[in-house]
Structure formats: structure tokens, C-alpha cells
Amino acid sequence: MKIEHTFINFRCFLLCKYLIILSIIVFNVSCEKEPIFFEEEDIEDIKTERYSFRDYSFIDGIKCYDAKGNTLDSLSYMYSPDDFVFFDEFEFPYEKIEIKGDSTVSYYCITGDTTTIRNGNVTQVNDTLCFYFNELGSSGLLFKGLIVDNQIRISGYGCRYYIFTSDGSNTGEIADKIVELKIPDLEYLLKTSPQLHFDNHIITIHNLYIQRFDLVYEIETE
């Protein structure tokens, strides 16, 4: 019995020595690799995403309505979808949107050889990004964007009012255009449409044309 007990102790001693040697080897091997350190600028760069404007994506077709909101699609041939996008002199659409890891955002407007950068903030709720100028809050909200794969799609619309007025001897005509980055509110657009007056009377051909679109931004990859 004493010999058997001594043998068991000897086995335990060998096992402990083996475990100690193994732990030393593992420790030395792991320490041979140099630790990776990131400079503060590198961390910021890793978290930065850059999106470039690609094109307009037109939704449905041109819709035409009379002053009461009745659909007059047969008259939509007067315009093409390109008649409802931003004027060339407008800053929209931005050429590039740069989103940083600290929830700040830079908007790049490029005109010829001149690049103008405006800064703001961005928040995210599920797949929706809310872009702001400087201050967070509804009053500073510029637009919302939906994340789809490697794209940001920003909803917008263009509308054109066509109003013709005649009192028999005088005529007037308005062809006004509005472009906004949000979903159109038809009731509001009809209610706030311009009017023409002759001798305190309004006699109009009053049509409203709407074309919805998405601004498509794609992520830049190196």
C-alpha cells in the first residue's frame, strides 16, 4: 500500500511539473507577438464612412392633380421626370456625405473647382438616418435617409404648379416649382398653392404635377 501511495504522489508531482512547463511555453509564445496599437487618427478613420451621390431614382411616374385633388394623369405628358429635380444652382444634392464615428457628418457641395463643406450631426434609428445642421432636434432636421445594403436613399419630390387665369380681357400664368427632401403632403401642397387675381376674382386652370424620387448615395470602398 505504501509503495502504491508513493507512486501516486510521484505521478501527481510529474503532472504538476508538466503543467508548469506548458504554461511557461504558452506565455512565452504569446508574448513574442507585438501588441497592435492604433493612433487616435486611425481609430477615427476606421469609423468614418463616405458616401458619394450616384443618381436620382424616380418612383412611380409623374402624377397630375386638379385644385380639388382629383387625378389627371392624362396631362402628365407636359413634363419629364428631369423637370422635377433640383436646379443646377442649388446645393442639393450634395456630392458626398461623410459620416464619422462620433455621429458628426460633413456635407460636400462641389461647384466647378470650388468645394464647400458644411458640418452637422446624424442619428440612427433602426435603418433610418436623420441628418441635421449643427443642432439635433426637429427644427434642424435636413432630411432622412434609409440604409439599403451599401446605399443611403434619401426620399424627395418635385412639384410644379401650373395656373392659368383669364377674365376675358386679361390673362395670367404661373408655372412654379418646388423641390424638397421628404414625402409629399398632397393636401398641404394644394392648400398652399399660388393664386392669380383679376379684379378680386380668381378664374384658374389649376393643376399640380408631382414626381417622387430617391437620391441614391453609395458607400465609397478603397
Side-chain angles (χ1 to χ4, degrees), residues 148-189:
V148 181
D149 296 328
N150 291 321
Q151 295 180 341
I152 296 178
R153 301 180 73 94
I154 300 170
S155 297
Y157 72 92
C159 75
R160 283 181 172 272
Y161 295 103
Y162 177 78
I163 301 172
F164 179 81
T165 299
S166 175
D167 63 358
S169 58
N170 298 297
T171 61
E173 184 176 320
I174 290 179
D176 202 10
K177 175 182 173 180
I178 296 173
V179 186
E180 294 189 288
L181 292 179
K182 59 183 180 180
I183 304 298
D185 183 340
L186 179 60
E187 183 178 351
Y188 175 80
L189 292 172

Side-chain angles (χ1 to χ4, degrees), residues 3 10 44 52 54 58 67 81 92-93 95 105 111 113-114 118 133 136 142 160 164 171 181 185 198 217 219:
I3 296 174
F10 180 72
E44 186 68 21
S52 295
R54 288 293 175 258
F58 295 106
F92 293 116
E95 292 295 327
V105 59
T111 305
D113 296 331
T114 303
R118 296 186 174 181
F133 257 165
L136 296 176
L142 283 176
R160 283 181 172 272
F164 179 81
T171 61
L181 292 179
D185 183 340
F198 284 112
Y217 287 81
I219 192 169

Side-chain angles (χ1 to χ4, degrees), residues 7-217:
F7 180 73
I8 293 174
N9 288 339
F10 180 72
R11 289 182 60 187
C12 291
F13 172 78
L14 290 178
L15 180 61
C16 290
K17 295 287 287 185
Y18 173 77
L19 291 176
I20 292 172
I21 294 172
L22 181 62
S23 63
I24 293 173
I25 293 173
V26 172
F27 177 79
N28 289 333
V29 171
S30 63
C31 289
E32 287 178 358
K33 296 182 179 180
E34 294 183 5
I36 299 174
F37 297 99
F38 292 102
E39 296 295 334
E40 186 174 345
E41 306 91 38
D42 295 332
I43 294 175
E44 186 68 21
D45 187 60
I46 290 173
K47 295 181 179 180
T48 298
E49 292 184 341
R50 298 173 178 86
Y51 293 84
S52 295
F53 175 67
R54 288 293 175 258
D55 205 353
Y56 288 88
S57 176
F58 295 106
I59 301 173
D60 299 326
I62 301 170
K63 303 294 184 182
C64 180
Y65 302 92
D66 65 14
K68 295 181 180 180
N70 298 314
T71 303
L72 302 172
D73 284 340
S74 61
L75 298 178
S76 61
Y77 68 89
M78 291 181 60
Y79 300 103
S80 69
D82 290 335
D83 293 321
F84 294 85
V85 300
F86 289 101
F87 292 110
D88 291 340
E89 64 267 24
F90 275 40
E91 61 189 16
F92 293 116
Y94 294 115
E95 292 295 327
K96 184 169 66 175
I97 297 175
E98 187 176 83
I99 302 174
K100 302 178 181 65
D102 59 358
S103 297
T104 59
V105 59
S106 296
Y107 310 100
Y108 289 76
C109 177
I110 301 175
T111 305
D113 296 331
T114 303
T115 299
T116 304
I117 303 176
R118 296 186 174 181
N119 297 316
N121 294 277
V122 61
T123 61
Q124 181 173 352
V125 179
N126 298 324
D127 292 333
T128 300
L129 297 173
C130 298
F131 294 89
Y132 299 85
F133 257 165
N134 301 324
E135 298 295 333
L136 296 176
S138 59
S139 60
L141 180 66
L142 283 176
F143 46 78
K144 295 181 179 181
L146 183 66
I147 302 174
V148 181
D149 296 328
N150 291 321
Q151 295 180 341
I152 296 178
R153 301 180 73 94
I154 300 170
S155 297
Y157 72 92
C159 75
R160 283 181 172 272
Y161 295 103
Y162 177 78
I163 301 172
F164 179 81
T165 299
S166 175
D167 63 358
S169 58
N170 298 297
T171 61
E173 184 176 320
I174 290 179
D176 202 10
K177 175 182 173 180
I178 296 173
V179 186
E180 294 189 288
L181 292 179
K182 59 183 180 180
I183 304 298
D185 183 340
L186 179 60
E187 183 178 351
Y188 175 80
L189 292 172
L190 291 172
K191 186 183 300 183
T192 58
S193 63
Q195 301 290 336
L196 286 173
H197 297 263
F198 284 112
D199 297 328
N200 297 322
H201 292 83
I202 303 175
I203 306 171
T204 63
I205 299 173
H206 186 164
N207 294 328
L208 172 65
Y209 299 87
I210 296 178
Q211 172 67 70
R212 290 186 57 195
F213 58 76
D214 281 346
L215 300 181
V216 181
Y217 287 81

